[in-house]
Amino acid sequence: MGELLYEGKAKKMFTTDDPFVLRVEYKNDATAFNGQKKAKFEGKGRLNNAICTKIFHVLQQKNLPTHYLETISETEQLVKSVDIVPIEVVVRNIVAGSLAKRLGLDEGTDLGKTIVEFYYKSDDLGDPMINDDHALAIKIATEEELTEIRRQALAVNKVLQELFSEAGILLVDFKLEFGKLKETGAIVLADEISPDTCRLWDKETHEKLDKDVFRRNIADLPETYEKLLSRLEAVR
C-alpha cells in the first residue's frame, strides 16, 4: 500500500515501489475558512477524483505538463513525485470572494483581464499574498521559475475556460500549485484542479457549482459535484 507521506484537508499521499511515483487518495472531507468549518460527504473523494481526472486529461491533450499519470481506482491516482514550490497561484477572471472585499468591487464583475496572484504557502503566516520581489527575497523561487509558473498558469486558464465554456460554465477563479519533478527538476502543474479549488458558475443562472455551496450553505455538495461531473463528461 505504501507509506503515508502526507495527509492534507482533501487528500492523502503515499509512496509506491517507484521512488518517482506517488499514490494520491482523495478523501470525503470538506473544509472551509482555513479548516474552521468541516464535514464529511459520502462520495466526495470519488467525485473529486473523477473531475480532476477529466481536467488533467484535457490539459495533457493540450501538451500542458502535469504530475498526473493515471487513475487507478474510484478515489486514487498515480502522480509523479515533485518538490512543491511553496506558492499558491490564484488565477482570477471574474470578481468573487476575497477580491470583491479587497477591491470593493461587486461580485460577478468581469475583470476584462486575467489576474494572477501569488500567495506564500505558510500555515503559520496565514498564506499571505506576495509579489515576485517577495518570492525572490525569501528565496522560494527564482525569477525564471516565477516566469514559467505564470506562463503555465495562464495557459491552464485558457484551456480550462474553453473546457468549462463548452459545458455552459464560467470559470470565475481557481487555485493552482506547481512542483519541480524529482526526476528532472522541470516545473509542472501539481496538486489538483477540482470544485474544491475552483469557483464555477452556470453561464446563464450563475448557479454555483463548486465548494461555495458548502461554504455558504447554499446547496448539497455531493449533488452539486455530481452535476458538475455530468456536464464535464458530456464535453468531448
Side-chain angles (χ1 to χ4, degrees):
M1 291 294 291
E3 174 188 350
L4 178 64
L5 278 183
Y6 166 81
E7 181 169 0
K9 296 170 183 173
K11 297 185 297 295
K12 295 179 181 179
M13 307 283 289
F14 298 87
T15 61
T16 69
D17 293 338
D18 187 329
F20 298 117
V21 175
L22 300 177
R23 176 170 61 87
V24 179
E25 179 184 331
Y26 285 82
K27 298 163 55 178
N28 288 331
D29 301 64
T31 64
F33 311 118
N34 288 324
Q36 294 177 28
K37 183 176 183 179
K38 300 178 183 179
K40 281 184 180 289
F41 295 97
E42 188 63 35
K44 177 178 178 289
R46 172 185 61 81
L47 289 163
N48 269 3
N49 188 37
I51 292 165
C52 200
T53 295
K54 170 70 176 181
I55 290 171
F56 275 132
H57 282 167
V58 170
L59 292 173
Q60 290 184 337
Q61 287 166 7
K62 298 293 185 178
N63 297 315
L64 291 175
T66 79
H67 73 160
Y68 175 81
L69 288 170
E70 64 176 312
T71 296
I72 58 173
S73 78
E74 281 196 338
T75 59
E76 296 170 300
Q77 297 174 1
L78 293 180
V79 300
K80 300 170 187 173
S81 181
V82 301
D83 292 314
I84 290 288
V85 178
I87 295 173
E88 286 188 354
V89 182
V90 175
V91 181
R92 300 183 185 273
N93 299 306
I94 297 169
V95 175
S98 63
L99 187 66
K101 296 176 184 175
R102 197 183 329 136
L103 299 184
L105 298 172
D106 290 335
E107 190 162 83
T109 302
D110 190 331
L111 287 163
K113 177 188 187 322
T114 300
I115 292 175
V116 178
E117 298 173 346
F118 290 160
Y119 293 82
Y120 179 31
K121 280 176 59 68
S122 169
D123 290 339
D124 291 342
L125 299 176
D127 300 337
M129 182 189 285
I130 60 173
N131 60 28
D132 294 42
D133 289 337
H134 294 133
L136 294 171
I138 58 178
K139 296 181 172 57
I140 55 174
T142 66
E143 194 164 347
E144 293 75 18
E145 289 168 346
L146 293 171
T147 298
E148 178 62 10
I149 286 170
R150 191 182 298 273
R151 185 194 71 78
Q152 288 193 32
L154 290 170
V156 169
N157 183 54
K158 183 179 179 184
V159 171
L160 294 191
Q161 279 186 306
E162 292 172 359
L163 169 65
F164 286 116
S165 182
E166 287 184 46
I169 296 168
L170 292 171
L171 177 59
V172 176
D173 59 39
F174 59 105
K175 176 182 73 70
L176 299 174
E177 293 189 22
F178 292 86
K180 291 185 273 190
L181 290 175
K182 296 221 173 174
E183 198 164 13
T184 66
I187 288 179
V188 300
L189 179 66
D191 195 42
E192 67 179 282
I193 302 179
S194 75
D196 279 7
T197 62
C198 301
R199 277 195 177 90
L200 303 164
W201 296 350
D202 180 271
K203 268 188 184 179
E204 302 299 326
T205 66
H206 283 193
E207 175 191 2
K208 291 175 173 56
L209 299 168
D210 56 67
K211 197 168 71 170
D212 268 352
V213 301
F214 170 66
R215 288 189 188 97
R216 304 183 185 187
N217 297 314
I218 295 171
D220 181 77
L221 184 141
E223 286 182 10
T224 299
Y225 285 21
E226 285 278 13
K227 186 183 299 184
L228 174 63
L229 177 59
S230 66
R231 287 173 71 161
L232 287 177
E233 285 179 335
V235 176
R236 306 184 219 207

